[in-house]
Amino acid sequence: MSERNTVIRSLHDVGLAAWFGGSLMGAVGLNGAAQDEGSTETSRDRISSSGWARWTPVNAAAIGAHLFGGGGLLAVNAHRVATQQGVGASTAAKTVVTAAALAATAYARVLGKKVELASSTDPGDAEKAEKHPIDLDKVRRQLSAVQWAVPALTGCLVVLNALHGEQQRPTEQIPGMWERARSMTHLVQ
């Protein structure tokens, strides 16, 4: 019996595509352009901070769509997660990687906001930055690393999605469920 889950699958996949693609473009394109066009560290910080700040609401919507779609897919495939061998493990791995990608994304935003405040020409921002002084070089290094971690982690999610797609083939489902049932009967005996 085939059920279609086009809307939740689309939310899941398009959200992840935007999260992955936007973070990769930011790390490569936006940060690279800021390095090329900024004449000082502060101007480079302003350029990249401005771009990342514009991306933040879109990224939040993409992540929300991905998580909503993922929750929906988990609900409609709960029987497969519970009964098909390998699906539970790949789902657990995907959950862990998703949590890591969320944490990296949030940490990147926190660090980015610190750089944004420290490089701002707005007097209010400068006052906020003075109240919470930072080692700007250290924060820049951390930000650079975490901005590369996000596309790496979301790229892993793309690969895990491919694995889930393969596990949904009928030729995978029946043997997987059979093997799981067979292993469960050995535990009972």
Side-chain angles (χ1 to χ4, degrees), residues 73-147:
L73 287 174
L74 183 58
V76 299
N77 288 293
H79 66 285
R80 286 186 48 249
V81 174
T83 60
Q84 185 181 341
Q85 188 168 14
V87 177
S90 62
T91 300
K94 190 173 169 187
T95 301
V96 169
V97 175
T98 300
L102 286 167
T105 300
Y107 189 52
R109 185 63 190 134
V110 167
L111 293 173
K113 195 66 179 167
K114 289 179 180 184
V115 171
E116 182 181 332
L117 287 173
S119 64
S120 177
T121 57
D122 180 89
D125 288 345
E127 186 179 318
K128 288 177 192 173
E130 282 179 26
K131 288 181 183 176
H132 304 285
I134 60 168
D135 179 346
L136 194 52
D137 288 333
K138 180 180 176 184
V139 171
R140 285 181 185 128
R141 285 190 304 276
Q142 292 171 330
L143 181 57
S144 177
V146 77
Q147 283 176 336

Side-chain angles (χ1 to χ4, degrees), residues 7-28:
V7 173
I8 60 173
R9 188 175 304 281
S10 296
L11 287 169
H12 176 267
D13 292 352
V14 171
L16 179 57
W19 190 9
F20 168 73
S23 64
L24 184 60
M25 187 284 191
V28 175

